[in-house]
Amino acid sequence: MAASTTRPSSLRRSAGALALGVGLLLAGLQPAHAQSAAGSAPDGGFSELPRSEQDQKLQEQGLTRDDLAREDALKKLRSSTDTDFYSTPAQLPAANGGVVRSEPSTFYLDPVKLIKPNASATRIMYRSTNSKNQAVATTGTVLQSKAAWRKPGPRPLVVLSSGTQGMGDSCAPSRQMAMGTNYEGLSLAGLINAGYNVVAPDYIGLGTDGAHTYMNRVDQAHAVLDAVRGAQQLGMEGVDAKTPVAAVGYSQGGGATAAAAESAPEYAPEVQLKSAWVGAPPADLTLTGQHIDSSLFSGLSFYVMGAAEDSGVAVRDRLNAEGQRRYDKAQDSCLVGTVFSDALVPSEKLTADGRSFFQLLGDPALKAYLEEQTIGAAGRHPRVPVRIAHTVADDVVPYQSGRRLAQKWCASGVNVSMQTLATPTHVGASLEGIPSMLVYLDARFKGIPQTSSCWRL
């Protein structure tokens, strides 16, 4: 279980305000597809069902009619920020992490826009390099905490990598912050209230030009590390190249954090990375793909397929007409829309040859692409203490994914603390992990040595 389940009082207040009802919370987790209209069907044929059956379908997905009514408001995501800000200029800075542009931003913790965090927000665009060795522009948000820092040493910078947002540009965390629909709000509030400055990358292609390369190991690692470099170049008080840094993230964010931690020694050796907190990392995409095949979260497979297609692996043509329709929709959707649309659909009904998605992963080109995304491969490991937190009851990323990563890193000599949670579901464990993550960071920045779990793994 988590080391602590007591949230700081300010975090409890934020949590209470956010808990305006399960339906409102879920709508705030991720906006559904940006093209949906208020009260419209979240999937084809929904509006044709009797009201009682509509209510049943909504209940099964944890949604309410209020969520559908808010769809029209969420369309404002596309216009809530200056779209010109996200356009790539003709020329990028010479060095990775170089700031292209920055501007003051807004950040709400709730979709009703009642709660602002105790921090100033700055949106940034910075240079990174993708897995094709191409210079790209990506974006993120820097949050400068207004809380007093009374602990030993300088105020640290924490880079928080977001969990799965979706594939559409409107899903980018920096865009959602202005609407109060970024479900990482509790984690961000906890870090800010603890006195940390925070930078939250959007990832390559999420909000900016090009496709979002979902779960691409190299792209995510570079976006995270270059976000740190970008934040250090803004001239903010207490944020510079000497600032101590920690990396945290859960789910996709756990994978991005893990990839960044093991890439830092070669890609960004000057970053003063002190530790990493890695929650539920999808370190093995094949294992995760098997786990979610034809499940509530099977639509996430379309995200991975889209990233593979962007890397030159022909995936879309392996799908039948219905599979291609769902694939195309997923490439411009956010998480709730994808989950609702594709939940529990048997994947063998979406492929051209009747194979399941998991069987499709065995095709040589796709298999090779997925293996390249594996975190913890020989020759790659962090040089700092790492905590891996994962629930045995994870319904999205299998527990073995996190445990095997811990074993691989331990074999490479990394000081790994493996925290086994017992909270049901992937989402449930993410909430349990927040206070544990804060306790973990406090200990590391105080210089308290981490006790390794490697002996029992």
Side-chain angles (χ1 to χ4, degrees):
M1 298 295 291
S4 170
T5 56
T6 302
R7 293 189 178 97
S9 59
S10 54
L11 184 56
R12 286 201 305 270
R13 289 195 297 270
S14 296
L18 283 170
L20 299 175
V22 173
L24 186 58
L25 177 59
L26 285 174
L29 289 182
Q30 305 282 353
H33 192 273
Q35 299 301 320
S36 299
S40 66
D43 197 14
F46 178 83
S47 60
E48 305 299 324
L49 297 174
R51 185 179 180 88
S52 59
E53 292 186 28
Q54 290 180 1
D55 290 340
Q56 178 63 31
K57 285 182 70 69
L58 289 170
Q59 184 178 9
E60 289 172 356
Q61 301 303 327
L63 299 170
T64 71
R65 291 187 177 277
D66 288 339
D67 298 331
L68 300 185
R70 292 185 60 252
E71 289 294 289
D72 192 50
L74 289 174
K75 288 172 63 179
K76 294 178 182 178
L77 277 171
R78 291 194 182 276
S79 59
S80 63
T81 57
D82 181 1
T83 54
D84 289 341
F85 182 90
Y86 293 88
S87 299
T88 302
Q91 187 171 354
L92 295 174
N96 288 321
V99 177
V100 177
R101 59 177 70 104
S102 65
E103 66 180 18
S105 182
T106 55
F107 176 25
Y108 293 95
L109 293 176
D110 65 305
V112 196
K113 298 184 179 180
L114 294 176
I115 313 166
K116 278 191 174 183
N118 189 27
S120 60
T122 301
R123 187 183 299 116
I124 63 171
M125 173 179 278
Y126 57 94
R127 171 193 159 129
S128 190
T129 299
N130 64 18
S131 54
K132 303 172 188 175
N133 201 32
Q134 298 169 331
V136 294
T138 187
T139 49
T141 304
V142 180
L143 301 169
Q144 189 170 26
S145 177
K146 297 178 182 178
W149 181 255
R150 298 188 176 91
K151 301 172 185 177
R155 186 192 301 264
L157 174 68
V158 176
V159 53
L160 182 143
S161 301
S162 298
T164 297
Q165 307 292 314
M167 296 291 279
D169 284 343
S170 62
C171 315
S174 65
R175 293 178 182 243
Q176 293 198 60
M177 285 182 182
M179 294 295 293
T181 56
N182 188 340
Y183 71 85
E184 295 285 3
L186 284 177
S187 296
L188 291 167
L191 292 167
I192 291 166
N193 291 334
Y196 301 115
N197 292 323
V198 182
V199 57
D202 286 340
Y203 301 129
I204 290 174
L206 191 56
T208 48
D209 295 340
H212 173 39
T213 51
Y214 180 73
M215 291 310 308
N216 182 297
R217 176 183 59 83
V218 173
D219 284 16
Q220 293 188 161
H222 290 183
V224 171
L225 294 169
D226 289 330
V228 174
R229 288 166 161 163
Q232 292 172 340
Q233 294 183 26
L234 288 178
M236 289 184 174
E237 182 180 358
V239 181
D240 55 37
K242 297 180 180 180
T243 300
V245 177
V248 302
Y250 187 88
S251 192
Q252 180 186 4
T257 298
E262 66 177 24
S263 299
E266 287 75 35
Y267 186 75
E270 83 285 2
V271 170
Q272 300 297 304
L273 187 66
K274 302 301 181 182
S275 64
W277 186 91
V278 176
D284 184 334
L285 294 184
T286 300
L287 184 65
T288 301
Q290 180 181 17
H291 196 57
I292 65 173
D293 192 12
S294 302
S295 74
L296 179 65
F297 297 95
S298 59
L300 299 182
S301 298
F302 290 125
Y303 293 174
V304 177
M305 292 178 189
E309 187 88 26
D310 181 72
S311 292
V313 180
V315 181
R316 186 180 181 277
D317 61 4
R318 305 296 178 89
L319 306 176
N320 60 24
E322 177 61 14
Q324 291 181 5
R325 183 189 70 79
R326 291 176 179 270
Y327 169 93
D328 292 342
K329 181 179 178 182
Q331 304 315 306
D332 193 35
S333 293
C334 298
L335 185 60
V336 164
T338 302
V339 169
F340 193 97
S341 296
D342 302 311
L344 306 176
V345 176
S347 61
E348 60 268 18
K349 294 185 178 181
L350 303 177
T351 59
D353 57 9
R355 289 183 296 163
S356 68
F357 282 173
F358 176 63
Q359 291 172 321
L360 201 67
L361 300 182
D363 286 359
L366 185 54
K367 181 179 180 181
Y369 171 80
L370 295 177
E371 288 177 349
E372 175 56 33
Q373 311 319 316
T374 299
I375 303 170
R380 294 197 304 264
H381 60 271
R383 304 293 198 274
V384 296
V386 178
R387 159 74 59 82
I388 296 179
H390 211 146
T391 178
V392 294
D394 199 313
D395 56 342
V396 180
V397 181
Y399 172 74
Q400 284 303 317
S401 177
R403 184 177 177 86
R404 289 175 186 173
L405 177 59
Q407 292 170 333
K408 291 177 181 178
W409 280 349
C410 284
S412 298
V414 182
N415 182 341
V416 180
S417 169
M418 182 72 197
Q419 181 182 23
T420 299
L421 308 174
T423 307
T425 77
H426 188 72
V427 174
S430 71
L431 297 176
E432 180 186 1
I434 295 173
S436 172
M437 176 261 290
L438 295 173
V439 171
Y440 175 80
L441 291 180
D442 184 64
R444 299 293 79 77
F445 283 123
K446 284 181 177 178
I448 300 173
Q450 174 171 284
T451 300
S452 173
S453 301
C454 291
W455 66 273
R456 59 180 173 83
L457 297 175

Coordinates of all heavy atoms in Angstrom, one line a residue, residues 133-216:
N133 N 15.5 11.3 -35.7 CA 16.6 12.3 -35.7 C 16.2 13.6 -36.4 O 17.1 14.3 -37.0 CB 17.9 11.7 -36.3 CG 19.1 12.4 -35.8 OD1 19.1 12.9 -34.6 ND2 20.1 12.5 -36.6
Q134 N 15.0 14.0 -36.3 CA 14.5 15.2 -36.9 C 14.2 16.2 -35.8 O 13.7 15.9 -34.8 CB 13.2 15.0 -37.7 CG 13.3 14.0 -38.9 CD 12.0 13.7 -39.4 OE1 11.0 13.6 -38.7 NE2 12.0 13.3 -40.7
A135 N 14.6 17.5 -36.0 CA 14.3 18.5 -35.1 C 12.8 18.9 -35.2 O 12.3 19.0 -36.3 CB 15.1 19.8 -35.4
V136 N 12.2 18.9 -34.0 CA 10.7 19.2 -34.0 C 10.4 20.2 -32.9 O 11.2 20.4 -32.0 CB 9.9 17.9 -33.7 CG1 10.0 16.9 -34.9 CG2 10.3 17.2 -32.4
A137 N 9.3 20.9 -33.0 CA 8.8 21.8 -32.0 C 7.8 21.1 -31.2 O 6.9 20.5 -31.7 CB 8.3 23.1 -32.6
T138 N 7.9 21.2 -29.9 CA 6.9 20.6 -29.0 C 6.6 21.6 -27.9 O 7.3 22.6 -27.7 CB 7.3 19.3 -28.4 OG1 6.2 18.7 -27.7 CG2 8.5 19.4 -27.5
T139 N 5.5 21.4 -27.2 CA 5.1 22.4 -26.2 C 4.9 21.8 -24.8 O 4.9 20.6 -24.6 CB 3.7 23.0 -26.7 OG1 2.8 22.0 -27.0 CG2 4.0 23.9 -27.9
G140 N 4.7 22.7 -23.9 CA 4.4 22.3 -22.5 C 4.1 23.5 -21.6 O 3.9 24.6 -22.2
T141 N 4.0 23.3 -20.3 CA 3.6 24.4 -19.4 C 4.6 24.3 -18.2 O 4.9 23.3 -17.7 CB 2.2 24.2 -18.9 OG1 1.3 24.1 -20.0 CG2 1.8 25.3 -18.0
V142 N 5.0 25.5 -17.9 CA 5.9 25.7 -16.7 C 5.1 26.3 -15.6 O 4.4 27.4 -15.8 CB 7.1 26.5 -17.0 CG1 8.0 26.6 -15.7 CG2 7.9 25.9 -18.1
L143 N 5.0 25.7 -14.4 CA 4.3 26.2 -13.3 C 5.2 26.7 -12.2 O 6.0 25.8 -11.6 CB 3.3 25.2 -12.8 CG 2.3 24.7 -13.8 CD1 1.6 23.4 -13.3 CD2 1.3 25.8 -14.2
Q144 N 5.3 27.9 -11.9 CA 6.1 28.5 -10.8 C 5.4 28.6 -9.5 O 4.4 29.4 -9.4 CB 6.7 29.8 -11.2 CG 7.8 30.3 -10.3 CD 8.5 31.5 -10.9 OE1 8.0 32.3 -11.7 NE2 9.8 31.7 -10.5
S145 N 5.7 27.7 -8.6 CA 5.0 27.7 -7.3 C 5.1 29.0 -6.5 O 6.2 29.6 -6.4 CB 5.5 26.5 -6.5 OG 4.8 26.5 -5.2
K146 N 4.0 29.4 -5.9 CA 4.0 30.5 -5.1 C 4.0 30.1 -3.6 O 4.1 31.0 -2.7 CB 2.7 31.3 -5.3 CG 2.6 31.9 -6.7 CD 1.3 32.7 -6.9 CE 1.2 33.2 -8.3 NZ -0.1 34.0 -8.5
A147 N 4.1 28.8 -3.3 CA 4.2 28.3 -2.0 C 5.6 28.6 -1.4 O 6.6 28.5 -2.2 CB 3.9 26.9 -1.9
A148 N 5.7 28.9 -0.2 CA 7.1 29.1 0.4 C 7.9 27.8 0.4 O 7.3 26.7 0.5 CB 6.9 29.6 1.8
W149 N 9.2 28.0 0.1 CA 10.1 26.8 0.2 C 10.9 26.9 1.4 O 11.8 27.8 1.6 CB 11.0 26.8 -1.1 CG 11.9 25.6 -1.1 CD1 13.3 25.6 -0.8 CD2 11.6 24.3 -1.3 NE1 13.7 24.4 -0.9 CE2 12.7 23.5 -1.2 CE3 10.4 23.6 -1.7 CZ2 12.8 22.1 -1.4 CZ3 10.4 22.3 -1.9 CH2 11.5 21.5 -1.7
R150 N 10.6 26.0 2.4 CA 11.3 26.1 3.7 C 12.2 24.9 4.0 O 12.6 24.6 5.1 CB 10.2 26.2 4.8 CG 9.4 27.5 4.7 CD 8.5 27.6 6.0 NE 7.7 28.8 5.9 CZ 6.5 29.0 5.4 NH1 5.9 27.9 4.8 NH2 5.9 30.1 5.4
K151 N 12.4 24.1 2.9 CA 13.2 22.9 3.1 C 14.7 23.1 2.7 O 15.0 24.1 2.1 CB 12.6 21.7 2.2 CG 11.2 21.4 2.6 CD 10.6 20.4 1.6 CE 9.1 20.2 1.9 NZ 8.4 19.3 0.9
P152 N 15.6 22.2 3.2 CA 17.0 22.5 2.9 C 17.2 22.5 1.4 O 16.6 21.8 0.6 CB 17.7 21.3 3.5 CG 16.7 20.7 4.5 CD 15.3 21.0 4.0
G153 N 18.2 23.3 1.0 CA 18.6 23.3 -0.4 C 17.7 24.2 -1.3 O 16.7 24.7 -0.8
P154 N 18.1 24.3 -2.5 CA 17.2 25.2 -3.5 C 15.9 24.5 -3.8 O 15.8 23.3 -3.7 CB 18.1 25.3 -4.7 CG 19.0 24.1 -4.7 CD 19.2 23.8 -3.2
R155 N 15.0 25.3 -4.2 CA 13.7 24.8 -4.6 C 13.9 23.9 -5.9 O 14.4 24.4 -6.9 CB 12.7 25.9 -5.0 CG 11.3 25.5 -5.3 CD 10.5 26.6 -5.9 NE 10.4 27.8 -5.0 CZ 9.4 28.0 -4.2 NH1 8.3 27.2 -4.1 NH2 9.3 29.1 -3.4
P156 N 13.4 22.6 -5.9 CA 13.6 21.8 -7.1 C 12.6 22.0 -8.2 O 11.6 22.7 -8.0 CB 13.5 20.3 -6.5 CG 13.5 20.5 -5.0 CD 13.0 21.9 -4.7
L157 N 12.9 21.5 -9.3 CA 12.0 21.5 -10.5 C 11.6 20.0 -10.7 O 12.4 19.1 -10.8 CB 12.7 22.0 -11.7 CG 12.0 21.9 -13.0 CD1 10.8 22.9 -13.0 CD2 12.9 22.2 -14.2
V158 N 10.3 19.8 -10.8 CA 9.8 18.5 -11.1 C 9.1 18.5 -12.5 O 8.3 19.3 -12.8 CB 8.7 18.0 -10.0 CG1 8.1 16.7 -10.4 CG2 9.3 18.0 -8.6
V159 N 9.5 17.5 -13.3 CA 8.9 17.4 -14.6 C 7.9 16.3 -14.5 O 8.2 15.1 -14.2 CB 10.0 17.0 -15.7 CG1 10.8 15.9 -15.4 CG2 9.3 16.9 -17.0
L160 N 6.6 16.6 -14.7 CA 5.5 15.7 -14.6 C 5.1 15.3 -16.0 O 4.6 16.2 -16.8 CB 4.3 16.3 -13.8 CG 3.1 15.3 -13.6 CD1 2.5 15.5 -12.3 CD2 2.1 15.6 -14.7
S161 N 5.2 14.1 -16.3 CA 4.7 13.5 -17.6 C 3.3 13.0 -17.5 O 3.0 12.2 -16.6 CB 5.6 12.4 -18.1 OG 7.0 12.9 -18.2
S162 N 2.4 13.5 -18.3 CA 1.0 13.2 -18.2 C 0.7 11.8 -18.6 O 1.3 11.2 -19.5 CB 0.2 14.2 -19.1 OG 0.4 15.5 -18.6
G163 N -0.4 11.3 -18.1 CA -1.0 10.0 -18.5 C -1.6 10.2 -19.9 O -1.7 11.3 -20.4
T164 N -2.2 9.2 -20.4 CA -2.8 9.2 -21.8 C -3.8 10.3 -21.9 O -4.8 10.3 -21.1 CB -3.4 7.9 -22.1 OG1 -2.3 6.9 -22.2 CG2 -4.0 7.9 -23.5
Q165 N -3.7 11.2 -22.9 CA -4.6 12.3 -23.1 C -5.5 12.0 -24.3 O -6.6 12.3 -24.4 CB -3.9 13.6 -23.3 CG -2.9 13.9 -22.2 CD -3.6 14.3 -20.9 OE1 -4.5 15.0 -20.9 NE2 -3.1 13.7 -19.9
G166 N -4.9 11.4 -25.3 CA -5.5 11.1 -26.6 C -4.6 11.4 -27.7 O -3.4 11.6 -27.5
M167 N -5.1 11.5 -29.0 CA -4.3 11.8 -30.1 C -4.5 13.1 -30.8 O -3.7 13.7 -31.5 CB -4.5 10.7 -31.2 CG -4.0 9.3 -30.7 SD -2.3 9.1 -30.5 CE -1.8 8.8 -32.2
G168 N -5.7 13.7 -30.6 CA -6.1 15.0 -31.2 C -5.3 16.1 -30.5 O -5.0 16.1 -29.3
D169 N -5.1 17.2 -31.3 CA -4.3 18.3 -30.8 C -5.0 19.0 -29.6 O -4.4 19.5 -28.7 CB -4.1 19.4 -31.9 CG -3.0 19.0 -32.9 OD1 -2.2 18.1 -32.6 OD2 -3.0 19.5 -34.0
S170 N -6.4 18.9 -29.6 CA -7.1 19.6 -28.5 C -6.9 18.8 -27.2 O -7.2 19.4 -26.1 CB -8.6 19.6 -28.8 OG -9.1 18.3 -29.0
C171 N -6.3 17.6 -27.2 CA -6.1 16.9 -26.0 C -4.8 17.3 -25.3 O -4.6 16.8 -24.1 CB -6.0 15.4 -26.3 SG -7.2 14.7 -27.5
A172 N -4.0 18.1 -25.9 CA -2.7 18.5 -25.3 C -2.9 19.0 -23.9 O -3.8 19.9 -23.7 CB -2.0 19.5 -26.1
P173 N -2.1 18.6 -22.9 CA -2.3 19.1 -21.5 C -2.2 20.6 -21.4 O -3.0 21.2 -20.6 CB -1.1 18.4 -20.8 CG -0.8 17.2 -21.5 CD -1.1 17.5 -23.0
S174 N -1.4 21.3 -22.2 CA -1.3 22.7 -22.0 C -2.6 23.4 -22.5 O -2.9 24.5 -22.0 CB -0.1 23.3 -22.8 OG -0.3 23.0 -24.2
R175 N -3.3 22.8 -23.4 CA -4.6 23.3 -23.9 C -5.6 23.0 -22.9 O -6.5 23.9 -22.6 CB -4.9 22.7 -25.2 CG -4.0 23.1 -26.4 CD -4.5 22.5 -27.7 NE -3.6 22.8 -28.8 CZ -4.0 23.5 -29.9 NH1 -5.2 23.9 -30.0 NH2 -3.1 23.7 -30.9
Q176 N -5.6 21.8 -22.3 CA -6.7 21.5 -21.3 C -6.6 22.2 -20.0 O -7.5 22.4 -19.3 CB -6.6 19.9 -21.1 CG -7.0 19.1 -22.3 CD -7.3 17.7 -21.9 OE1 -8.3 17.5 -21.2 NE2 -6.6 16.7 -22.5
M177 N -5.4 22.6 -19.7 CA -5.2 23.4 -18.4 C -6.1 24.6 -18.4 O -6.6 25.0 -17.4 CB -3.7 23.7 -18.2 CG -2.9 22.6 -17.8 SD -1.1 23.1 -17.5 CE -0.4 21.6 -17.1
A178 N -6.2 25.3 -19.5 CA -7.0 26.5 -19.6 C -8.5 26.2 -19.4 O -9.2 27.1 -19.1 CB -6.7 27.2 -20.9
M179 N -8.9 25.0 -19.7 CA -10.3 24.6 -19.6 C -10.6 23.9 -18.3 O -11.8 23.6 -18.0 CB -10.7 23.7 -20.8 CG -10.6 24.4 -22.1 SD -11.9 25.7 -22.2 CE -13.4 24.8 -22.2
G180 N -9.6 23.6 -17.5 CA -9.8 22.8 -16.3 C -10.2 21.4 -16.5 O -10.8 20.7 -15.6
T181 N -9.7 20.8 -17.6 CA -10.1 19.4 -18.0 C -8.9 18.5 -18.0 O -8.9 17.4 -18.4 CB -10.8 19.4 -19.3 OG1 -9.9 19.9 -20.3 CG2 -12.1 20.1 -19.3
N182 N -7.7 19.0 -17.4 CA -6.5 18.2 -17.4 C -6.6 17.3 -16.1 O -6.5 17.8 -15.0 CB -5.3 19.0 -17.3 CG -4.0 18.2 -17.4 OD1 -4.0 17.0 -17.2 ND2 -2.9 18.8 -17.8
Y183 N -6.8 16.0 -16.3 CA -7.0 15.2 -15.1 C -5.8 15.0 -14.2 O -5.8 14.4 -13.2 CB -7.5 13.8 -15.5 CG -6.5 12.9 -16.2 CD1 -5.7 12.1 -15.5 CD2 -6.5 12.8 -17.6 CE1 -4.8 11.2 -16.1 CE2 -5.7 11.9 -18.2 CZ -4.8 11.1 -17.5 OH -3.9 10.3 -18.2
E184 N -4.6 15.5 -14.7 CA -3.4 15.5 -13.8 C -3.5 16.7 -12.8 O -2.5 16.9 -12.0 CB -2.2 15.7 -14.7 CG -1.9 14.6 -15.6 CD -1.4 13.3 -14.9 OE1 -1.3 13.3 -13.7 OE2 -1.0 12.4 -15.6
G185 N -4.6 17.3 -12.7 CA -4.7 18.5 -11.8 C -4.4 18.2 -10.3 O -3.7 19.0 -9.7
L186 N -4.8 17.0 -9.8 CA -4.5 16.7 -8.4 C -3.0 16.5 -8.2 O -2.5 17.0 -7.2 CB -5.3 15.4 -8.0 CG -6.8 15.6 -7.7 CD1 -7.4 14.3 -7.4 CD2 -7.0 16.6 -6.6
S187 N -2.4 15.8 -9.1 CA -0.9 15.7 -9.0 C -0.2 17.0 -9.1 O 0.7 17.3 -8.3 CB -0.4 14.7 -10.1 OG -0.9 13.4 -10.0
L188 N -0.6 17.8 -10.1 CA 0.0 19.1 -10.2 C -0.2 20.0 -9.0 O 0.7 20.7 -8.5 CB -0.5 19.8 -11.5 CG -0.1 19.2 -12.8 CD1 -1.0 19.8 -13.9 CD2 1.3 19.5 -13.1
A189 N -1.4 20.0 -8.4 CA -1.7 20.8 -7.2 C -0.9 20.3 -6.1 O -0.4 21.1 -5.3 CB -3.2 20.7 -6.9
G190 N -0.7 19.0 -5.9 CA 0.1 18.4 -4.8 C 1.5 18.9 -4.9 O 2.1 19.3 -3.9
L191 N 2.1 18.9 -6.1 CA 3.5 19.3 -6.3 C 3.6 20.8 -6.0 O 4.6 21.2 -5.4 CB 3.9 18.9 -7.7 CG 4.1 17.4 -8.0 CD1 4.2 17.2 -9.5 CD2 5.3 16.8 -7.3
I192 N 2.7 21.6 -6.6 CA 2.8 23.0 -6.4 C 2.7 23.4 -4.9 O 3.4 24.2 -4.4 CB 1.7 23.7 -7.2 CG1 2.0 23.6 -8.7 CG2 1.5 25.2 -6.9 CD1 0.8 23.9 -9.6
N193 N 1.7 22.8 -4.3 CA 1.5 23.1 -2.8 C 2.6 22.7 -2.0 O 2.9 23.2 -0.9 CB 0.2 22.5 -2.4 CG -1.0 23.2 -3.0 OD1 -1.0 24.3 -3.4 ND2 -2.1 22.4 -3.1
A194 N 3.4 21.7 -2.4 CA 4.5 21.2 -1.7 C 5.7 22.1 -1.9 O 6.8 21.9 -1.3 CB 4.9 19.8 -2.1
G195 N 5.6 23.1 -2.9 CA 6.6 24.1 -3.1 C 7.5 23.8 -4.3 O 8.4 24.6 -4.6
Y196 N 7.2 22.8 -5.1 CA 8.0 22.5 -6.3 C 7.6 23.4 -7.4 O 6.4 23.6 -7.7 CB 7.9 21.0 -6.6 CG 8.3 20.1 -5.6 CD1 7.4 19.2 -5.0 CD2 9.6 20.0 -5.1 CE1 7.7 18.3 -4.0 CE2 10.0 19.1 -4.1 CZ 9.1 18.3 -3.6 OH 9.4 17.4 -2.6
N197 N 8.5 23.8 -8.2 CA 8.2 24.3 -9.6 C 8.0 23.1 -10.5 O 8.7 22.0 -10.3 CB 9.4 25.2 -10.1 CG 9.5 26.5 -9.3 OD1 8.5 27.1 -8.9 ND2 10.7 26.9 -9.1
V198 N 7.2 23.2 -11.5 CA 6.8 22.0 -12.3 C 6.8 22.4 -13.8 O 6.5 23.5 -14.1 CB 5.4 21.5 -11.9 CG1 5.0 20.3 -12.7 CG2 5.3 21.2 -10.4
V199 N 7.3 21.5 -14.6 CA 7.1 21.6 -16.0 C 6.4 20.4 -16.5 O 6.8 19.2 -16.1 CB 8.5 21.8 -16.7 CG1 9.5 20.7 -16.5 CG2 8.3 22.0 -18.2
A200 N 5.4 20.6 -17.3 CA 4.6 19.5 -17.8 C 4.6 19.5 -19.4 O 4.0 20.3 -20.0 CB 3.1 19.6 -17.3
P201 N 5.4 18.6 -20.0 CA 5.4 18.5 -21.4 C 4.1 18.0 -22.1 O 3.4 17.2 -21.5 CB 6.6 17.6 -21.7 CG 6.6 16.7 -20.5 CD 6.2 17.5 -19.3
D202 N 3.9 18.4 -23.3 CA 2.7 17.9 -24.1 C 3.0 16.7 -24.9 O 2.1 16.0 -25.3 CB 2.2 19.0 -25.0 CG 1.5 20.1 -24.3 OD1 1.1 20.0 -23.2 OD2 1.4 21.2 -24.9
Y203 N 4.3 16.3 -25.1 CA 4.7 15.3 -25.9 C 4.8 15.7 -27.4 O 4.0 16.6 -27.8 CB 3.9 14.0 -25.8 CG 3.8 13.4 -24.4 CD1 2.6 13.0 -23.8 CD2 5.0 13.1 -23.7 CE1 2.5 12.5 -22.6 CE2 4.9 12.5 -22.4 CZ 3.7 12.2 -21.9 OH 3.6 11.7 -20.6
I204 N 5.6 15.0 -28.2 CA 5.8 15.4 -29.6 C 4.5 15.1 -30.4 O 3.9 14.0 -30.2 CB 6.9 14.6 -30.2 CG1 8.3 15.1 -29.6 CG2 7.0 14.6 -31.7 CD1 9.5 14.3 -29.9
G205 N 4.0 16.1 -31.1 CA 2.9 15.9 -32.0 C 1.5 16.0 -31.3 O 0.5 15.9 -31.9
L206 N 1.5 16.3 -30.0 CA 0.2 16.5 -29.3 C 0.0 18.0 -29.1 O 0.6 18.6 -28.2 CB 0.3 15.7 -27.9 CG -1.1 15.6 -27.2 CD1 -2.1 14.9 -28.1 CD2 -0.9 14.8 -25.9
G207 N -0.8 18.6 -29.9 CA -1.0 20.0 -29.9 C -0.2 20.7 -31.0 O -0.6 21.8 -31.4
T208 N 0.8 20.1 -31.4 CA 1.7 20.8 -32.4 C 1.6 20.0 -33.7 O 0.9 19.0 -33.8 CB 3.2 20.8 -31.9 OG1 3.5 19.5 -31.4 CG2 3.3 21.8 -30.8
D209 N 2.4 20.5 -34.7 CA 2.3 19.8 -36.0 C 2.8 18.4 -36.0 O 3.6 18.0 -35.2 CB 3.3 20.6 -37.0 CG 2.8 22.0 -37.3 OD1 1.6 22.3 -37.0 OD2 3.7 22.8 -37.7
G210 N 2.2 17.6 -36.9 CA 2.5 16.2 -37.0 C 1.7 15.3 -36.1 O 0.9 15.8 -35.3
A211 N 1.8 14.0 -36.3 CA 1.1 13.0 -35.5 C 1.7 12.9 -34.1 O 2.9 13.0 -33.9 CB 1.1 11.7 -36.2
H212 N 0.8 12.6 -33.1 CA 1.3 12.3 -31.8 C 1.9 10.9 -31.8 O 1.2 9.9 -32.1 CB 0.2 12.4 -30.7 CG 0.6 12.0 -29.4 ND1 1.8 12.2 -28.8 CD2 -0.1 11.3 -28.4 CE1 1.9 11.7 -27.6 NE2 0.7 11.1 -27.4
T213 N 3.2 10.8 -31.4 CA 3.8 9.5 -31.4 C 3.7 8.8 -30.1 O 4.6 8.6 -29.3 CB 5.3 9.7 -31.8 OG1 5.9 10.7 -30.9 CG2 5.5 10.1 -33.2
Y214 N 2.5 8.3 -29.9 CA 2.0 7.8 -28.6 C 2.9 6.6 -28.2 O 3.1 5.6 -28.9 CB 0.6 7.3 -28.7 CG 0.0 6.7 -27.5 CD1 -0.3 7.5 -26.4 CD2 -0.3 5.3 -27.4 CE1 -0.9 6.9 -25.3 CE2 -0.9 4.8 -26.3 CZ -1.2 5.6 -25.2 OH -1.7 5.0 -24.1
M215 N 3.5 6.6 -27.0 CA 4.3 5.6 -26.4 C 5.6 5.3 -27.2 O 6.2 4.3 -26.9 CB 3.5 4.3 -26.2 CG 2.4 4.4 -25.2 SD 2.9 5.1 -23.6 CE 4.4 4.1 -23.2
N216 N 6.0 6.2 -28.1 CA 7.3 6.1 -28.7 C 8.4 6.4 -27.6 O 8.4 7.5 -27.1 CB 7.4 7.0 -29.9 CG 8.7 6.8 -30.6 OD1 9.8 7.1 -30.1 ND2 8.7 6.4 -31.9

